[in-house]
Amino acid sequence: MSSRTRWWALFVLSLTQLVVVLDGTIVNIALPQAQADLGLTDGQRQWVITAYALAFGALLLLGGRIADYWGRKRTFMVGMIGFGLASVYGGLAQNGIELIIARGLQGAFAAMLAPAALALLTVTFPSGRDRNTAFAVFGTIAGAGAAVGLLLGGVLTEFADWRWCLLVNVFFVIVGVIGALLFLTESKAEGDNKYDLVGAVVVILGLGSLVYGFSLAEAGWGRLDTVGFLVLGVILLALFVWIESRVAQPLLPLRIVADKVRGGAFLIQAVAGSVMIGATLYLTLHLQIVMQMSALMSGLASLPLTAAIMIVAPFATKLLPRIGPRPLLIAGPLFVSVALLYLSRITADGSYAVQVLPGLIVMGVGMAMIFVPLQNLALAGVAPHDAGAASATANSAMQIGGSIGLSVFTAVYISAVGEASPTDLAALADGYGATFVVAAIGMVVASGIAIGLIRGDKSVLLPDSSQPVLAHA
């Protein structure tokens, strides 16, 4: 593949990753309008978000193995087309059940699309400086996707209709399919490729049970159904690990997550996902409900977060080969934590310029420092046979982290608000502030993970000439 074709391939893969991530948040701003239009209950409103993240996160490992065994380009194409059809179905939904089903289908096809895209990136840029740059670009765009979703959702809701927050995906699908035909090369794992169906069923049920249990926590952590689903999820995931250690062709080869550095990167990705997906939702609610911003103004108000990520990312990319990923992954979460603690001081009568804007800028700086090295580090040293599975694990960490984070933040918010009236804006602001404090604690933990697990000289963590990852047609 020529150098020019490789960079066009990066554009296609990054664009499709953007739509997968932004679809986790683009409907957030549109939810009030969709709820009124379709007559959604509050429970259905929550499931419009949860259905996407749950299907995406639970099916990612299976999607990664399908990409490895069936062909990454082929899986990418099917995932892209299916994602587009599910988006049209959701955009034309006539009731809440149809919308929730459409969101679940989006998540299922995204679970094929996302690991295939990241695996294709891995084999397209096998080593060296170009690989570092490509992963930095890909990670930055993926990291900014949640914030871009808020802005795009605001624009579409204000000037068109909430349905266009789903129908707009057709544009991305058309570009992705054409780009894949022109610039992507097929690759797949060689050798004996047998699907681990038992492991697939167990991990899907385990992750699904865990995420669903956290979604029930908003009604109370001590409830029997909440505890039951959480415990069941943990038991099933433990069973999955046992199964994977004994089958010949595991769905998730344990060598992928056993590596201390790679495992640390996955954990940091989970925490970062919880903040980008969960905390940004409550920021949106504060802007719209407490500060009385329109959907468009709320989207524009979130733009500094995206702008800061995009401005700082090139500098972090240049800094990465000089200092290595460890300092960035230690400092980045601390920047985000400081920003979240600043945002936790929001009040009902406070101004955007004083109470919100500085926090968004600092958060963007920190997120850029996290996302630039993270994807590269998570996939460094992965064998060609495992590219799809490792890519799926990286994506799954962010999506499951986002799902759990959203559920935890919701439980914290409900606990903080208590019996306050929905019109008590001061109480609502206090509830949103409480979620930001919990998110800040999570980012401090992420920095601690980097200190404890992301160890080694930069030449070890990010070699300039690592073992190439070869594509096998």
Side-chain angles (χ1 to χ4, degrees), residues 79-242:
M80 180 66 70
I81 294 171
F83 190 87
L85 293 175
S87 298
V88 172
Y89 177 44
L92 301 178
Q94 298 302 305
N95 55 61
I97 298 300
E98 289 184 0
L99 181 58
I100 291 170
I101 292 173
R103 291 287 287 168
L105 289 172
Q106 278 187 310
F109 283 107
M112 297 178 66
L113 175 62
L118 195 49
L120 284 166
L121 185 70
T122 301
V123 299
T124 302
F125 294 90
S127 64
R129 182 172 298 178
D130 284 353
R131 176 185 171 94
N132 296 341
T133 302
F135 272 89
V137 171
F138 189 86
T140 300
I141 292 176
V148 172
L150 296 176
L151 174 61
L152 185 58
V155 172
L156 293 172
T157 303
E158 186 79 12
F159 292 111
D161 184 81
W162 69 267
R163 296 179 182 277
W164 279 101
C165 291
L166 296 166
L167 296 175
V168 70
N169 291 326
V170 175
F171 164 76
F172 293 102
V173 168
I174 292 172
V175 174
V177 169
I178 294 174
L181 292 172
L182 293 176
F183 304 116
L184 300 183
T185 302
E186 184 61 281
S187 69
K188 61 182 179 179
E190 291 184 334
D192 183 19
N193 297 329
K194 183 179 179 181
Y195 288 103
D196 174 20
L197 296 180
V198 174
V201 172
V202 172
V203 75
I204 289 170
L205 292 176
L207 290 174
S209 179
L210 194 66
V211 172
Y212 184 62
F214 275 107
S215 74
L216 295 174
E218 62 186 72
W221 288 97
R223 286 167 50 104
L224 182 61
D225 53 356
T226 302
V227 174
F229 276 105
L230 291 175
V231 171
L232 178 61
V234 171
I235 292 173
L236 287 172
L237 291 178
L239 176 61
F240 171 70
V241 172
W242 182 84

Side-chain angles (χ1 to χ4, degrees), residues 337-361:
S337 181
V338 169
L340 289 165
L341 289 175
Y342 185 90
L343 289 171
S344 72
R345 300 168 63 250
I346 54 176
T347 59
D349 57 353
S351 71
Y352 168 81
V354 173
Q355 292 193 349
V356 178
L357 179 59
L360 289 180
I361 294 173

